[in-house]
């Protein structure tokens, strides 16, 4: 193609992409099975077939699927929340007795239950059964701890799998919410609907981190002065669906968010390498990430290292960042080399060499310290 012709074509494509997506177009195209996806921060969303979306997942191309949220998002103000000054961790004497109650026994048992589902895919009945199992397990912990003040609420989406929001109400006047989040879905990228996807590391590990932090705080009588929420997201593997829906809901209802810590992949430490916790540098809040680094150093025995950038739409922290909320993410090792390569396959099991519940326990300590320091 001649350069001038190529130039005209590029210019035309640019124009075509700049045309805003209308609400009627969304209902028409989505009823034809097309998905509206965003592949970069400043890019216009584009329509893709379900096969093309699946190809993105297989090639590990990150994206937001915004088919069902784009119209709502257009009505939101574009503002960022005011910068928050985070404290230096200072509650060691109160946090340490809680941290010693965190337990690999509980985490291992819950990992067995979660990985026993054929998969936890967001459209599969087993994906929804896993979500209900999480809700029931948390409810029974709250009930036996006599904690009727804690609410455990399913959050429904346009797809089968529900997310779950657990809330410890704040006793004081500060209503800015601290959120610990983890996605509970899994995927076998060669056969999403029916393939075996134990998702032990990605992300039953982050799920059981939150469950055990919940158990220890609920049983320990923890009543924060500002609200603490634990989120279990559905549909992350299909384009950050659950977290994006919830972040848009919080923005549109005017909720104040103090901090988000996303836990995604916490149980793998590459054999032969030094165990570390990786801190995600991109699509996260810099001062919150500094605080998270201090929390890792204060409450876990592992050093914190800075990850290489994971890129746009890498995991659920990106959904909060997208709405201007302060978000952070810590991972099992330094991204990319220290991360479990078996993700999205049948081999993401608890018996994979390098999978370690003791390693994951360090992330539970980080999550508990983070929550306590920001809400007490
Ligand atoms: N668990 C990964 C994300 C991740 C990356 C965790 C690096 C820890 C370190 C996540 O579940 C995932 O697979 N994300 C997709 C993108 C998603 C929008 C489809 C990916 O990275 O390909
Ligand atoms: Zn994941």
């Amino acid at each position: 193609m001649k350069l001038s012709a190529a130039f005209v074509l590029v210019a035309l494509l640019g124009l075509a992409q700049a045309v805003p997506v209308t609400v009627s177009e969304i209902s028409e195209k989505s009823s034809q099975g097309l998905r509206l996806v965003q592949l970069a921060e400043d890019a216009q969303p584009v329509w893709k077939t379900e096969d093309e979306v699946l190809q993105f997942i297989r090639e590990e191309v990150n994206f937001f699927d915004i088919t069902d949220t784009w119209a709502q998002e257009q009505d939101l103000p574009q503002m960022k929340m005011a910068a928050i000054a985070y404290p230096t961790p200072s509650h060691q004497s109160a946090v340490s007795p809680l941290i010693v109650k965190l337990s690999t026994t509980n985490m291992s048992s819950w990992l067995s239950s979660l990985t026993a589902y054929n998969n936890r895919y967001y459209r599969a009945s087993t994906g929804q059964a896993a979500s209900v199992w999480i809700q029931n397990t948390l409810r029974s912990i709250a009930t036996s701890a006599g904690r009727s003040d804690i609410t455990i609420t399913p959050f429904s989406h346009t797809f089968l799998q529900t997310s779950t929001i657990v809330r410890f109400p704040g006793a004081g006047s500060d209503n800015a919410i601290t959120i610990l989040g983890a996605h509970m879905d899994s995927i076998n990228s060669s056969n999403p609907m029916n393939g075996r996807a134990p998702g032990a590391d990605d992300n039953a590990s982050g799920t059981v981190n939150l469950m055990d932090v919940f158990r220890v705080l609920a049983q320990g009588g923890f009543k924060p002065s500002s609200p603490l929420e634990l989120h279990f997201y559905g549909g992350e593997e299909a384009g950050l669906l659950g977290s994006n829906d919830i972040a848009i809901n919080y923005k549109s209802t005017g909720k104040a968010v103090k901090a988000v810590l996303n836990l995604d992949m916490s149980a793998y430490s590459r054999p032969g390498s030094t165990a570390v916790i990786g801190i995600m540098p991109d699509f996260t809040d810099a001062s919150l990430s500094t605080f998270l680094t201090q929390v890792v150093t204060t409450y876990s025995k592992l050093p914190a290292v800075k990850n290489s950038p994971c890129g746009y739409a890498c995991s659920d922290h990106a959904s909060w960042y997208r709405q201007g909320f302060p978000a952070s993410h810590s991972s099992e090792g330094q991204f990319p080399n220290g991360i479990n390569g078996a993700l999205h396959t049948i081999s993401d099991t608890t018996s994979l060499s390098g999978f370690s519940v003791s390693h994951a326990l360090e992330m539970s300590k980080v999550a508990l310290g983070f929550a306590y320091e920001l809400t007490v």
Side-chain angles (χ1 to χ4, degrees):
M1 194 187 291
K2 273 184 13 206
L3 193 63
S4 56
F7 181 78
V8 169
L9 185 60
V10 167
L12 279 174
L13 281 173
L15 273 180
Q17 290 206 332
V19 175
V21 178
T22 62
V23 175
S24 61
E25 181 183 347
I26 291 173
S27 56
E28 183 195 325
K29 294 245 168 80
S30 64
S31 68
Q32 295 162 5
L34 293 171
R35 305 301 302 176
L36 187 64
V37 303
Q38 190 169 4
L39 292 148
E41 193 171 21
D42 298 318
Q44 286 293 317
V46 286
W47 289 103
K48 297 284 166 189
T49 63
E50 292 208 1
D51 283 347
E52 287 169 327
V53 169
L54 192 50
Q55 205 52 32
F56 285 149
I57 295 171
R58 292 193 176 129
E59 290 166 3
E60 296 185 12
V61 172
N62 302 353
F63 64 93
F64 274 99
D65 180 334
I66 53 172
T67 318
D68 299 325
T69 48
W70 180 246
Q72 191 189 357
E73 196 178 352
Q74 294 320 291
D75 298 334
L76 298 178
Q78 282 297 306
M79 65 201 190
K80 250 187 107 161
M81 274 185 65
I84 295 171
Y86 295 100
T88 304
S90 65
H91 294 93
Q92 288 91 326
S93 58
V95 174
S96 298
L98 293 170
I99 277 187
V100 296
K101 297 208 160 71
L102 292 165
S103 120
T104 53
T105 313
N106 284 290
M107 289 168 68
S108 296
S109 144
W110 293 330
L111 281 166
S112 304
S113 302
L114 285 164
T115 55
Y117 292 97
N118 180 48
N119 60 49
R120 302 187 301 279
Y121 189 55
Y122 78 117
R123 291 176 176 176
S125 58
T126 48
Q128 174 54 2
S131 181
V132 170
W133 175 84
I134 291 169
Q135 289 153 20
N136 290 341
T137 307
L138 298 177
R139 280 201 188 103
S140 81
I141 292 170
T143 304
S144 37
R147 295 298 303 262
S148 52
D149 58 317
I150 299 171
T151 54
I152 298 160
T153 315
F155 189 106
S156 297
H157 307 287
T158 54
F159 47 92
L160 179 61
Q161 189 170 57
T162 49
S163 296
T164 302
I165 297 183
V166 175
R167 185 174 170 97
F168 291 75
S173 55
D174 177 2
N175 60 6
I177 310 163
T178 297
I179 297 169
L180 305 178
H183 75 86
M184 50 67 60
D185 63 314
S186 72
I187 191 169
N188 177 323
S189 56
S190 339
N191 181 4
M193 197 65 182
N194 301 307
R196 173 91 182 106
D201 192 22
D202 185 12
N203 186 28
S205 64
T207 304
V208 304
N209 288 138
L210 293 197
M211 290 178 74
D212 209 42
V213 168
F214 173 78
R215 180 188 64 78
V216 168
L217 292 179
Q219 292 176 349
F222 181 63
K223 298 205 169 163
S225 49
S226 63
L228 171 65
E229 293 187 357
L230 276 53
H231 292 186
F232 300 82
Y233 302 119
E236 188 266 358
E237 302 289 7
L240 313 180
L241 292 166
S243 59
N244 188 42
D245 202 4
I246 292 171
I248 289 173
N249 176 281
Y250 278 36
K251 181 80 169 279
S252 64
T253 53
K255 290 189 176 170
V257 174
K258 187 180 289 186
V260 177
L261 171 60
N262 172 35
L263 300 183
D264 189 358
M265 304 182 78
S266 70
Y268 176 82
S269 185
R270 187 166 294 284
S273 72
T274 308
V276 299
I277 288 182
I279 309 295
M280 202 57 87
D282 59 337
F283 299 94
T284 53
D285 182 273
S287 29
L288 183 59
S289 299
T290 301
F291 168 74
L292 173 60
T293 304
Q294 291 166 352
V295 168
V296 170
T297 316
T298 308
Y299 292 118
S300 86
K301 61 181 188 199
L302 301 177
V305 299
K306 197 174 171 171
N307 284 349
S308 294
C310 188
Y312 184 72
C314 169
S315 179
D316 295 308
H317 54 279
S319 296
W320 295 95
Y321 178 90
R322 180 184 177 89
Q323 300 309 328
F325 293 122
S328 61
H329 175 231
S330 45
S331 56
E332 59 202 9
Q334 189 169 37
F335 179 81
N337 293 334
I339 304 296
N340 190 340
L343 83 177
H344 308 166
T345 72
I346 191 171
S347 307
D348 182 5
T349 66
T350 56
S351 47
L352 185 82
S353 163
F355 189 97
S356 158
V357 187
S358 318
H359 186 73
L361 177 69
E362 296 305 308
M363 196 66 86
S364 298
K365 297 177 185 175
V366 171
L368 195 152
F370 183 100
Y372 194 101
E373 292 285 346
L374 292 180
T375 61
V376 77

